[in-house]
């Protein structure tokens, strides 16, 4: 599996994502998820490396509860197929983790795959991918000229008070891209994964060194 981030398991009892065309890939993804032993520690570390990076904390709108925000769930959301393939310089808009949650996946020219909420942290306008801006493209909000770093989601210009929340993506061997988890704006990647996988995927949480994960595994065995 060519993985930039590791798939999350769909919660029990929920319908399959991805529609009819995604059934086979989804089944494959589930198989992989259900076998923790197939997911290497290196995969987990890639997750952390992709989503960490010193995101700043803040946000008047979210802090006041005005705007719906990504990453509030304490459990891993249902994995969702974003696209069959994403070439360098391209982006795709999708909704994740909920149907109202606008999001963007972008493939940078060096192959790096990144995902973000597409809801501007200023006044919730739609954030767009602009490959023609900056040295390697930028995430741009046209409402008030807000600009976010494409590699980190950090604010680089304009009034947005905080970075874009990250979305964890994974790329399967067939090139399909999946959204599997979220991070709150300003939240470190490992913290986000521990929050979402700590209860539902204790083996994964243990690989990440999440507090309490070993105890959760032990309690499952007894
Ligand atoms: Fe995006 Fe104002 S809403 S910069």
């Amino acid at each position: 599996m060519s993985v930039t981030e590791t798939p999350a398991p769909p919660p029990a009892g929920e319908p399959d994502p991805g529609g009819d065309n995604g059934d086979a890939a989804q089944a494959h993804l589930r198989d992989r998820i259900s076998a923790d032993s197939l997911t290497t520690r290196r995969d987990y570390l890639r997750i952390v490396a992709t989503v960490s990076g010193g995101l700043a904390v803040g946000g008047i709108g979210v802090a006041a509860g005005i705007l719906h925000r990504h990453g509030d769930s304490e459990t891993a959301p249902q994995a969702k197929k974003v696209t069959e393939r994403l070439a360098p310089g391209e982006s795709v808009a999708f909704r994740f983790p909920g149907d109202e949650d606008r999001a963007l996946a972008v493939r940078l020219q060096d192959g790096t795959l990144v995902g973000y909420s597409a809801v501007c942290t200023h006044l919730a306008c739609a954030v767009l991918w602009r490959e023609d801006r900056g040295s390697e493209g930028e995430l741009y909000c046209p409402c008030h000229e807000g600009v976010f770093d494409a590699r980190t989601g950090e604010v680089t210009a304009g009034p947005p008070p905080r970075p874009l929340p990250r979305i964890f993506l994974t790329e399967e061997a067939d090139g399909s891209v999946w959204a599997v988890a979220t991070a709150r704006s300003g939240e470190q990647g490992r913290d986000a994964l521990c929050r979402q996988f700590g209860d539902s995927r204790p083996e994964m949480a243990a690989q990440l060194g999440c507090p309490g994960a070993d105890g959760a595994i032990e309690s499952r065995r007894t």
Side-chain angles (χ1 to χ4, degrees):
M1 175 171 68
S2 174
V3 177
T4 54
E5 292 165 344
T6 304
E14 291 192 15
D16 288 346
D20 293 341
N21 294 334
D23 287 347
Q26 176 67 356
H28 171 67
L29 183 66
R30 281 185 162 179
D31 289 343
R32 293 196 63 87
I33 291 168
S34 64
D36 277 344
S37 60
L38 295 179
T39 306
T40 67
R41 178 172 178 77
R42 183 171 59 184
D43 291 334
Y44 296 127
L45 294 177
R46 282 177 181 166
I47 296 172
V48 176
T50 304
V51 300
S52 62
L55 303 181
V57 180
I60 296 172
V62 168
I66 297 169
L67 306 176
H68 177 75
R69 66 182 185 182
H70 282 75
D72 278 347
S73 174
E74 296 298 325
T75 59
Q78 185 176 11
K80 183 174 185 177
K81 192 176 193 176
V82 170
T83 182
E84 295 288 349
R85 192 167 298 276
L86 197 60
E90 290 184 350
S91 71
V92 62
F94 60 102
R95 304 282 176 135
F96 186 81
D99 292 340
E100 304 300 318
D101 300 316
R102 290 172 284 157
L104 269 178
V106 178
R107 174 88 71 187
L108 302 180
Q109 284 296 346
D110 68 358
T112 301
L113 190 60
V114 292
Y116 300 100
S117 163
V119 180
C120 181
T121 57
H122 181 218
L123 294 175
C125 285
V127 174
L128 309 173
W129 167 239
R130 288 283 301 269
E131 192 188 7
D132 59 319
R133 293 176 61 100
S135 60
E136 59 175 359
E138 291 177 337
L139 296 157
Y140 173 69
C141 179
C143 286
H144 311 97
E145 301 287 326
V147 182
F148 302 86
D149 185 288
R151 199 169 287 275
T152 66
E154 294 277 2
V155 180
T156 59
R162 55 193 177 78
L164 292 173
R166 298 293 300 262
I167 293 178
F168 298 71
L169 301 174
T170 182
E171 184 176 19
E172 289 291 293
D174 64 0
S176 61
V177 175
W178 294 74
V180 297
T182 61
R184 295 167 178 155
S185 181
E187 186 176 33
Q188 292 295 319
R190 192 177 78 106
D191 293 342
L193 291 168
C194 290
R195 172 170 54 81
Q196 291 169 91
F197 296 149
D199 292 333
S200 59
R201 303 294 297 167
E203 294 86 359
M204 178 182 286
Q207 292 270 3
L208 288 164
C210 299
D214 291 337
I217 293 173
E218 192 61 34
S219 65
R220 281 195 172 192
R221 291 183 180 139
T222 58

